């Protein structure tokens, strides 16, 4: 038989074990304590870049317009391709060829291969009453032949050519119709080219009202306008022929308009063309190089401003 002392010890051990089991069971059934919440700042997704339309406003300047080719080459080399192109006079010639799908290198090839006689069609003032020494049909035909007669509204890049209504003196932006006719009208320097009749209206060079068409580029939907000013400073030019006098007069007339309009451009590129004359087709390669150099000199600023515009 077990002694009473032994029974008391056994009961004590048993009671201790039962108490431990009960406590463990209760602890296991107790609800878990909620996790301590830490305060964190909400995650903010970076604002995506705003899509913007880049516009290229190409100014007038006769043969100095070859510089536009260099500008386009330099922009393309950095991945900057305009969504809209607007041209005045020589700018409308380059602009139309570019908008038709010719990249910078293709434009340079066309420029260097161009025969001046292809765009010169002399009028005969001794036998007919004319208002310009050149008819301008050769320019029209050259453009249409090069772009395969594609009308303005079907060009690959939205394009506009600025001309001046001879009757009212108001500007007009050609955005539809015969591309060659629009370019011819935009390039019809009074006294050099005959006015261009479209319907019942006559048109002359757009440089009279918009030497570098910044405003029209904005009007066509551009958010960011790169303007190319190739006009010659009158004091840097020497007039040695009647054509020189006309072109210089034109440059003088357009100065104040030009200065005002260029203020609305995001970037203004001014190729260093020195004393190159508007009828100097032999300097075309020099002009192209000047356009490239002037553009690359501003490339850091162009990229900076484009980035800022996209982040607005």
């Amino acid at each position: 038989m077990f002694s009473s002392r032994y029974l008391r010890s056994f009961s004590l051990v048993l009671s201790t074990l039962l108490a431990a089991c009960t406590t463990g069971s209760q602890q296991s059934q107790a609800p878990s304590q909620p996790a301590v919440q830490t305060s964190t700042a909400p995650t903010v997704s970076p604002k995506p870049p705003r899509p913007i339309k880049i516009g290229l406003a190409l100014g007038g300047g006769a043969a100095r317009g070859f510089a536009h080719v260099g500008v386009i080459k330099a922009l393309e080399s950095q991945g900057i391709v305009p969504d809209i192109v607007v041209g005045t006079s020589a700018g409308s010639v380059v602009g139309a060829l570019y908008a038709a799908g010719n990249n910078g290198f293709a434009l340079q090839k066309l420029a260097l291969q161009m025969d001046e006689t292809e765009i010169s069609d002399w009028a005969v003032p001794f036998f007919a009453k004319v208002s310009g020494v050149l008819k301008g049909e050769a320019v029209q035909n050259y453009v249409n032949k090069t772009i395969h007669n594609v009308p303005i509204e079907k060009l690959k890049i939205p394009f506009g050519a600025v001309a001046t209504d001879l009757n009212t003196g108001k500007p007009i932006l050609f955005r539809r119709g015969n591309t060659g006719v629009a370019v011819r009208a935009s390039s019809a320097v009074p006294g050099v080219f005959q006015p261009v009749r479209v319907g019942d209206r006559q048109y002359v060079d757009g440089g009279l009202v918009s030497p570098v068409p910044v405003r029209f580029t904005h009007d066509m939907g551009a958010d960011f306008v790169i303007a190319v000013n190739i006009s010659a400073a009158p004091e840097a030019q020497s007039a040695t022929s009647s054509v020189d006098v006309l072109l210089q007069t034109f440059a003088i007339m357009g100065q104040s308009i030009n200065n005002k309009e260029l203020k609305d451009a995001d970037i203004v590129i001014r190729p260093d063309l020195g004393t190159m004359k508007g009828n100097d087709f032999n300097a075309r390669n020099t002009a192209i190089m000047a356009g490239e150099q002037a553009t690359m000199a501003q490339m850091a600023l162009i990229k900076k401003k484009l980035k800022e515009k996209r982040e607005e």
Side-chain angles (χ1 to χ4, degrees):
M1 297 297 293
F2 298 105
S3 66
S4 58
R5 183 179 179 182
Y6 178 81
L7 289 173
R8 284 196 300 271
S9 299
F10 179 77
S11 298
L12 181 60
V13 171
L14 183 61
S15 298
T16 303
L17 290 172
L18 288 172
C21 291
T22 302
T23 304
S25 176
Q26 289 175 346
Q27 288 176 344
S28 65
Q29 293 176 8
S32 58
Q33 295 297 318
V36 177
Q37 299 294 321
T38 57
S39 177
T40 58
T43 303
V44 179
S45 301
K47 185 178 179 181
R50 181 169 71 92
I52 64 170
K53 288 187 176 182
I54 300 173
L56 187 61
L58 303 177
R64 294 165 66 94
F66 286 111
H68 292 318
V69 176
V71 172
I72 291 168
K73 282 184 64 184
L75 291 173
E76 287 185 337
S77 73
Q78 300 298 307
I80 300 172
V81 180
D83 301 289
I84 296 165
V85 180
V86 183
T88 291
S89 198
S92 73
V93 178
V94 177
L97 300 180
Y98 183 44
N102 295 290
N103 64 18
F105 285 99
L107 289 174
Q108 180 171 341
K109 184 178 179 180
L110 286 170
L112 297 180
Q113 291 178 343
M114 179 186 289
D115 184 345
E116 189 178 349
T117 60
E118 288 183 278
I119 58 171
S120 301
D121 48 358
W122 296 92
V124 189
F126 297 106
F127 299 98
K129 183 179 179 181
V130 296
S131 50
V133 295
L134 296 173
K135 290 184 287 184
E137 291 175 358
V139 172
Q140 173 183 326
N141 294 335
Y142 172 79
V143 170
N144 281 336
K145 178 182 176 181
T146 305
I147 68 171
H148 308 292
N149 294 304
V150 176
I152 296 175
E153 66 272 18
K154 292 187 178 180
L155 294 174
K156 294 182 179 180
I157 301 175
F159 170 71
V162 181
T164 304
D165 187 317
L166 187 59
N167 299 314
T168 65
K170 294 181 179 180
I172 179 172
L173 182 66
F174 285 99
R175 294 189 58 183
R176 299 184 62 83
N178 189 304
T179 306
V181 170
V183 170
R184 176 186 173 190
S186 180
S187 307
V189 179
V192 178
F193 288 94
Q194 297 175 7
V196 179
R197 181 173 291 278
V198 179
D200 60 348
R201 315 296 293 182
Q202 290 192 94
Y203 299 97
V204 292
D205 197 295
L208 284 169
V209 288
S210 185
V212 183
V214 175
R215 176 169 63 88
F216 286 105
T217 308
H218 278 300
D219 289 347
M220 282 185 62
D223 305 299
F224 187 92
V225 175
I226 300 172
V228 187
N229 181 19
I230 57 169
S231 61
E235 63 272 13
Q237 297 287 298
S238 59
T240 58
S241 69
S242 58
V243 172
D244 288 339
V245 171
L246 286 168
L247 293 176
Q248 186 162 341
T249 302
F250 216 56
I252 294 170
M253 291 172 61
Q255 264 194 317
S256 59
I257 300 173
N258 217 14
N259 292 335
K260 182 178 179 181
E261 190 152 7
L262 289 174
K263 291 179 181 178
D264 292 328
D266 295 276
I267 293 288
V268 179
I269 297 173
R270 295 180 172 88
D272 184 6
L273 299 170
T275 59
M276 178 182 175
K277 294 183 178 181
N279 58 355
D280 187 1
F281 279 77
N282 293 325
R284 67 188 79 181
N285 196 48
T286 301
I288 293 172
M289 291 177 61
E292 287 189 64
Q293 292 168 356
T295 306
M296 293 308 297
Q298 292 208 61
M299 191 55 67
L301 180 60
I302 294 172
K303 290 182 176 180
K304 177 177 179 290
K305 287 195 170 185
L306 276 172
K307 183 175 183 293
E308 292 171 349
K309 179 69 73 170
R310 291 189 173 110
E311 292 176 349
E312 286 181 356

Short mmCIF file of all heavy atoms in Angstrom, two decimals, residues 276-300:
data_model
loop_
_atom_site.label_atom_id
_atom_site.label_comp_id
_atom_site.label_asym_id
_atom_site.label_seq_id
_atom_site.Cartn_x
_atom_site.Cartn_y
_atom_site.Cartn_z
N MET A 276 26.83 85.48 -97.50
CA MET A 276 26.27 84.68 -98.59
C MET A 276 25.03 85.37 -99.16
O MET A 276 24.12 85.75 -98.43
CB MET A 276 25.89 83.29 -98.10
CG MET A 276 25.26 82.42 -99.18
SD MET A 276 24.76 80.79 -98.55
CE MET A 276 23.95 80.12 -100.01
N LYS A 277 24.99 85.53 -100.47
CA LYS A 277 23.87 86.20 -101.12
C LYS A 277 22.74 85.21 -101.44
O LYS A 277 22.96 84.01 -101.55
CB LYS A 277 24.34 86.88 -102.41
CG LYS A 277 25.31 88.03 -102.14
CD LYS A 277 25.70 88.73 -103.42
CE LYS A 277 26.63 89.90 -103.14
NZ LYS A 277 27.01 90.61 -104.37
N GLY A 278 21.57 85.78 -101.59
CA GLY A 278 20.40 84.96 -101.85
C GLY A 278 20.41 84.27 -103.19
O GLY A 278 19.62 83.34 -103.42
N ASN A 279 21.28 84.70 -104.11
CA ASN A 279 21.33 84.05 -105.43
C ASN A 279 22.62 83.24 -105.61
O ASN A 279 22.97 82.87 -106.73
CB ASN A 279 21.20 85.10 -106.55
CG ASN A 279 22.29 86.17 -106.47
OD1 ASN A 279 23.09 86.18 -105.53
ND2 ASN A 279 22.32 87.05 -107.46
N ASP A 280 23.30 82.96 -104.51
CA ASP A 280 24.57 82.23 -104.59
C ASP A 280 24.36 80.72 -104.40
O ASP A 280 24.53 80.18 -103.30
CB ASP A 280 25.54 82.76 -103.53
CG ASP A 280 26.93 82.16 -103.67
OD1 ASP A 280 27.14 81.34 -104.59
OD2 ASP A 280 27.81 82.50 -102.84
N PHE A 281 24.00 80.05 -105.48
CA PHE A 281 23.76 78.61 -105.41
C PHE A 281 25.06 77.82 -105.29
O PHE A 281 25.05 76.65 -104.92
CB PHE A 281 22.97 78.15 -106.64
CG PHE A 281 21.50 78.41 -106.53
CD1 PHE A 281 20.98 79.68 -106.71
CD2 PHE A 281 20.62 77.37 -106.24
CE1 PHE A 281 19.63 79.93 -106.59
CE2 PHE A 281 19.26 77.60 -106.12
CZ PHE A 281 18.76 78.89 -106.29
N ASN A 282 26.18 78.43 -105.59
CA ASN A 282 27.46 77.73 -105.49
C ASN A 282 27.88 77.48 -104.04
O ASN A 282 28.73 76.64 -103.78
CB ASN A 282 28.56 78.52 -106.22
CG ASN A 282 28.34 78.56 -107.72
OD1 ASN A 282 27.87 77.59 -108.32
ND2 ASN A 282 28.68 79.68 -108.34
N ALA A 283 27.27 78.23 -103.11
CA ALA A 283 27.64 78.09 -101.70
C ALA A 283 26.69 77.15 -100.96
O ALA A 283 26.65 77.15 -99.72
CB ALA A 283 27.64 79.46 -101.03
N ARG A 284 25.96 76.32 -101.67
CA ARG A 284 24.95 75.47 -101.03
C ARG A 284 25.54 74.53 -99.99
O ARG A 284 24.95 74.31 -98.93
CB ARG A 284 24.16 74.70 -102.10
CG ARG A 284 24.95 73.66 -102.85
CD ARG A 284 24.15 73.08 -104.01
NE ARG A 284 24.18 73.99 -105.15
CZ ARG A 284 23.55 73.75 -106.30
NH1 ARG A 284 22.84 72.63 -106.45
NH2 ARG A 284 23.63 74.60 -107.29
N ASN A 285 26.70 73.94 -100.29
CA ASN A 285 27.29 73.01 -99.33
C ASN A 285 27.73 73.73 -98.06
O ASN A 285 27.56 73.22 -96.94
CB ASN A 285 28.49 72.29 -99.95
CG ASN A 285 28.90 71.07 -99.17
OD1 ASN A 285 28.06 70.25 -98.80
ND2 ASN A 285 30.19 70.93 -98.88
N THR A 286 28.27 74.94 -98.23
CA THR A 286 28.66 75.75 -97.07
C THR A 286 27.44 76.08 -96.22
O THR A 286 27.50 76.07 -94.98
CB THR A 286 29.33 77.06 -97.54
OG1 THR A 286 30.49 76.74 -98.31
CG2 THR A 286 29.73 77.92 -96.36
N ALA A 287 26.32 76.38 -96.88
CA ALA A 287 25.09 76.71 -96.16
C ALA A 287 24.57 75.51 -95.38
O ALA A 287 24.12 75.64 -94.24
CB ALA A 287 24.03 77.20 -97.15
N ILE A 288 24.63 74.33 -95.99
CA ILE A 288 24.18 73.11 -95.30
C ILE A 288 25.01 72.87 -94.04
O ILE A 288 24.48 72.59 -92.96
CB ILE A 288 24.27 71.89 -96.24
CG1 ILE A 288 23.26 72.03 -97.38
CG2 ILE A 288 24.02 70.59 -95.47
CD1 ILE A 288 23.41 70.97 -98.48
N MET A 289 26.32 73.02 -94.17
CA MET A 289 27.21 72.84 -93.02
C MET A 289 26.94 73.87 -91.93
O MET A 289 26.96 73.56 -90.74
CB MET A 289 28.67 72.91 -93.47
CG MET A 289 29.11 71.74 -94.33
SD MET A 289 30.82 71.91 -94.93
CE MET A 289 31.71 71.95 -93.38
N ALA A 290 26.65 75.10 -92.34
CA ALA A 290 26.34 76.15 -91.36
C ALA A 290 25.08 75.82 -90.59
O ALA A 290 24.98 76.07 -89.38
CB ALA A 290 26.20 77.50 -92.07
N GLY A 291 24.10 75.24 -91.29
CA GLY A 291 22.86 74.83 -90.62
C GLY A 291 23.10 73.74 -89.59
O GLY A 291 22.55 73.78 -88.48
N GLU A 292 23.93 72.76 -89.95
CA GLU A 292 24.27 71.68 -89.01
C GLU A 292 24.98 72.24 -87.79
O GLU A 292 24.65 71.89 -86.64
CB GLU A 292 25.16 70.64 -89.70
CG GLU A 292 24.45 69.76 -90.71
CD GLU A 292 25.32 68.61 -91.20
OE1 GLU A 292 25.69 67.76 -90.37
OE2 GLU A 292 25.66 68.59 -92.40
N GLN A 293 25.98 73.07 -88.02
CA GLN A 293 26.79 73.60 -86.91
C GLN A 293 25.96 74.45 -85.95
O GLN A 293 26.08 74.33 -84.73
CB GLN A 293 27.96 74.41 -87.46
CG GLN A 293 29.00 73.57 -88.19
CD GLN A 293 30.00 74.40 -88.99
OE1 GLN A 293 29.89 75.61 -89.07
NE2 GLN A 293 30.98 73.73 -89.58
N ALA A 294 25.10 75.28 -86.50
CA ALA A 294 24.28 76.15 -85.65
C ALA A 294 23.30 75.33 -84.81
O ALA A 294 23.02 75.67 -83.65
CB ALA A 294 23.51 77.14 -86.52
N THR A 295 22.80 74.26 -85.38
CA THR A 295 21.84 73.41 -84.65
C THR A 295 22.53 72.63 -83.55
O THR A 295 22.04 72.56 -82.41
CB THR A 295 21.14 72.44 -85.62
OG1 THR A 295 20.55 73.20 -86.69
CG2 THR A 295 20.04 71.66 -84.92
N MET A 296 23.69 72.03 -83.85
CA MET A 296 24.41 71.26 -82.84
C MET A 296 24.89 72.16 -81.71
O MET A 296 24.96 71.72 -80.56
CB MET A 296 25.59 70.53 -83.48
CG MET A 296 25.20 69.44 -84.46
SD MET A 296 24.00 68.23 -83.79
CE MET A 296 24.94 67.51 -82.46
N ALA A 297 25.18 73.41 -82.02
CA ALA A 297 25.62 74.34 -80.98
C ALA A 297 24.50 74.60 -79.96
O ALA A 297 24.77 74.95 -78.81
CB ALA A 297 26.06 75.66 -81.61
N GLN A 298 23.25 74.41 -80.37
CA GLN A 298 22.11 74.63 -79.47
C GLN A 298 21.45 73.34 -79.02
O GLN A 298 20.41 73.37 -78.35
CB GLN A 298 21.07 75.51 -80.17
CG GLN A 298 21.50 76.94 -80.41
CD GLN A 298 20.31 77.89 -80.43
OE1 GLN A 298 19.59 78.03 -79.46
NE2 GLN A 298 20.10 78.50 -81.57
N MET A 299 22.04 72.21 -79.36
CA MET A 299 21.37 70.94 -79.09
C MET A 299 21.10 70.71 -77.61
O MET A 299 20.04 70.22 -77.22
CB MET A 299 22.19 69.78 -79.66
CG MET A 299 21.44 68.44 -79.66
SD MET A 299 19.83 68.51 -80.52
CE MET A 299 20.37 68.78 -82.22
N ALA A 300 22.07 71.05 -76.75
CA ALA A 300 21.86 70.86 -75.31
C ALA A 300 20.67 71.68 -74.83
O ALA A 300 19.84 71.20 -74.03
CB ALA A 300 23.12 71.25 -74.54
#
